[in-house]
Amino acid sequence: MNSEIEDFFDWKGQKSRPKSHGGIRAASFTCFVEVLENMVFLCNATNFVSYFRMSMHYPPAEAANMVTNFMGTSFLLTIFGGFISDSYLTRFTTFVIFCSIEILGLIVMTIQSHSTKLLPAPKMTPLNSQEAILYTGLYAIAIGVGGVKASLPAHGADQLDHNNQRLISAFFNWFFFSLAFGGLLACTVMVWIEENKGWNWSFIISAVMLSVALCIFLSGFRVYRYKQPAGSPFTIIMKVFGSAVGNWRSAPPVALNQDAIEVSRVDLRSSNKFRFLDKALHDDRVSDADVEQTKTFLGLLPIFASTIMMSCCLAQLQTFTVQQGVAMDRTINNFKIPTQSLTVIPLTFMLLSIPFYERFAKVFGDKVNSKHNFFQPIKRIGLGLALASCSMAAAAAVEVKRRDAANQNVTISVFWLSFQYLLLGVSDMLTLGGMLEFFYSEAPDSMRSISTALPWCSTSFGYFLSSVLVTISNNVSGHFGKEWLVGDLNKGRLDLFYTLLCVLNFLNLLNYIYWAKRY
């Protein structure tokens, strides 16, 4: 029997059967669930600003920071969710528990938003008890999002044959398609509901939709195959490091036990890296597989770190690019595009790019020499990083044109932003989709949920890095004259900030190429 099949079990705890458990049908449940899950997450991320300002009476700046902190915390908590999924619970159980926590958080927010007793009086700041309820609901949602985003893609990929890398790649592409489609629903249908039926309806609809997503996920429990948790991966890593440090004066072993490594299915390419960790094998508590798993995970970290700068570019889609759109002509045949719906443009490009990519990968993927095959995830990520730099160059050029036109009392069309939206949308598809595939496929079995959480952590760090760069840019430019980033874009130099991001992304691309060649 295939060793991979022996590692998976059905819902009764018995060995899974390929004809009855797993496969494309089982993996497709996660894609349907992701549409609703991401719709709920992005809908609330935009709705929270209005809720914090209009109902909780927070100042605009504080409300914006609260939303930024919420999103950053949600993505960072994917590491916690991945740790729980890898260490103690199956990915199925992890999703069910954390999705339920997110639903409870939405219910708390719904109750508060519809109860005058739980809201502050007009023109008054919230009481401590009201803030406590708010933060309880808000960070219950954040905790839930962290567990859901870490466990759902890994659970879906678990259903597929790991010997068929093309199938794994296709799954993550369509999972990303589902993610983008959920975002499209959030900034179209949900925005319409908020503007025409009242923004507080979004909490009710979000709770209902996420409950539907949970029911859809649960309905597939008989056809799923499950991977039992293997214990804390961080315990293994700390044990290996501790033993290596304790035996730092000893000579490394002559050779590793290759048979033990093959049984654990750890990539042997890591054997020649981080050789100092081999000294941990002098400790009888440390196995060859423990050392190789630690090496493999450490090898992923430089690739992860090299993607943070690209995530910083994505943060501009929700900040300065939106400000550009507000200052441009948003009318189409007497219909004015809502500000919240401007992200429809990059999401549309993302959705269109995935079928094209899949078609090209299917036709040319097996015909191209592996050395020059950019369909491989590590090369796909590099192409995405290159396009991110190009997108910032396009954004700088469009901003120059917009500002020059504005100085002549001319308002150019918002569709001039399509150039940067197209490049950044395709870049996101290549990079995030490639990261999900790469980290899942290359990670040790015992660390797949944590590794799948790394792309979301990259997004979180990218948002935080964007805030830091904005502060530094304004401080430095203000010291030498006038700040680049001010409320009135016509009086600022947003184009120079975009140029700075372009240069930093190019340098980051060189850094990525260095680590990718060493991988």
Side-chain angles (χ1 to χ4, degrees), residues 101-122:
I101 293 173
E102 186 177 352
I103 292 172
L104 289 175
L106 287 169
I107 291 173
V108 171
M109 300 290 283
T110 302
I111 293 173
Q112 183 178 42
S113 66
H114 287 80
S115 173
T116 55
K117 293 182 179 180
L118 301 179
L119 294 173

Side-chain angles (χ1 to χ4, degrees), residues 1 4-29 155-162 167 219-227:
M1 182 178 289
E4 182 186 338
I5 299 299
E6 294 178 355
D7 290 336
F8 290 93
F9 300 87
D10 65 11
W11 64 285
K12 294 180 180 179
Q14 300 173 351
K15 292 287 182 5
S16 63
R17 301 187 302 275
K19 293 183 178 180
S20 303
H21 306 104
I24 295 175
R25 179 181 60 161
S28 64
F29 279 92
H155 173 79
D158 280 349
Q159 309 307 311
L160 303 173
D161 179 8
H162 293 165
L167 186 61
S219 67
F221 80 99
R222 288 179 177 271
V223 298
Y224 295 146
R225 61 179 192 173
Y226 306 88
K227 182 70 179 290

Side-chain angles (χ1 to χ4, degrees), residues 296-357:
T296 301
F297 184 75
L298 291 178
L300 299 177
L301 296 183
I303 303 296
F304 155 73
S306 300
T307 63
I308 294 174
M309 193 65 224
M310 185 270 170
S311 298
C312 180
C313 294
L314 286 177
Q316 310 315 312
L317 288 177
Q318 297 177 340
T319 53
F320 294 116
T321 304
V322 172
Q323 291 185 36
Q324 282 181 289
V326 171
M328 300 168 83
D329 182 9
R330 293 180 281 130
T331 57
I332 306 176
N333 294 330
N334 297 323
F335 171 75
K336 193 169 186 178
I337 303 174
T339 303
Q340 305 97 311
S341 296
L342 286 175
T343 49
V344 167
I345 303 175
L347 287 169
T348 300
F349 285 129
M350 290 179 197
L351 290 170
L352 292 175
S353 66
I354 293 170
F356 278 108
Y357 180 88

Side-chain angles (χ1 to χ4, degrees), residues 28 31 33 68 73 91 93 121 132 156 163 189 191 194 230 299 305 322 328 348 350 393 411 446 449 455:
S28 64
C31 292
V33 169
T68 302
T73 302
R91 285 156 193 150
T93 305
N163 296 317
V189 176
V191 166
E194 290 168 8
V322 172
M328 300 168 83
T348 300
M350 290 179 197
T411 304
S446 62
S449 292

Side-chain angles (χ1 to χ4, degrees), residues 45-64:
T46 55
N47 184 44
F48 281 153
V49 176
S50 299
Y51 179 62
F52 295 156
R53 291 179 58 189
M54 298 172 62
S55 290
M56 302 305 295
H57 305 155
Y58 286 107
E62 186 174 356

Side-chain angles (χ1 to χ4, degrees), residues 263-315:
V263 169
S264 66
R265 290 180 279 121
V266 176
D267 194 340
L268 291 175
R269 287 176 297 180
S270 62
S271 295
N272 294 323
K273 302 173 184 176
F274 308 108
R275 296 296 299 272
F276 70 93
L277 293 179
D278 292 344
K279 297 180 179 182
L281 293 172
H282 289 292
D283 190 333
D284 293 336
R285 300 173 302 160
V286 178
S287 67
D288 296 328
D290 291 341
V291 173
E292 289 307 302
Q293 287 181 10
T294 301
K295 288 182 177 182
T296 301
F297 184 75
L298 291 178
L300 299 177
L301 296 183
I303 303 296
F304 155 73
S306 300
T307 63
I308 294 174
M309 193 65 224
M310 185 270 170
S311 298
C312 180
C313 294
L314 286 177

Side-chain angles (χ1 to χ4, degrees), residues 426-443:
V426 176
S427 171
D428 190 25
M429 182 275 293
L430 291 171
T431 306
L432 182 56
M435 289 167 68
L436 287 168
E437 177 188 352
F438 177 76
F439 290 132
Y440 178 87
S441 300
E442 298 294 319

